Amino acid sequence: LTLGMIMGVGNHDALRHHVPVAVRNGLTVPELEELVYQAATYLGYLAGSSIRSTIAEALQEPDVTAPSP
């Protein structure tokens, strides 16, 4: 819910901060991908593309290890 709300308001700094927290709490990459698909549907392709880029950047942080699905 938190990630969806952050995506909806377009706060990429907060999204970059919350993605690693969500991953540490057990959110998987396929679940993140589904969030991006839903965001693109409701917020538009450009917003979805930007959100996808932000999530990809957040997942590249050295302390982020995504769990297996």
Side-chain angles (χ1 to χ4, degrees):
L1 180 62
T2 300
L3 292 178
M5 298 293 282
I6 292 169
M7 289 176 188
V9 298
N11 189 337
H12 292 273
D13 290 332
L15 186 60
R16 204 172 286 109
H17 170 76
H18 278 76
V19 165
V21 173
V23 168
R24 282 193 293 274
N25 285 330
L27 193 69
T28 64
V29 171
E31 291 168 330
L32 280 169
E33 290 171 349
E34 184 61 32
L35 283 170
V36 173
Y37 299 144
Q38 293 296 319
T41 299
Y42 289 99
L43 302 173
Y45 173 79
L46 294 177
S49 178
S50 181
I51 289 166
R52 183 181 180 284
S53 295
T54 301
I55 289 174
E57 289 172 16
L59 291 175
Q60 296 302 315
E61 294 295 321
D63 63 335
V64 179
T65 304
S68 300

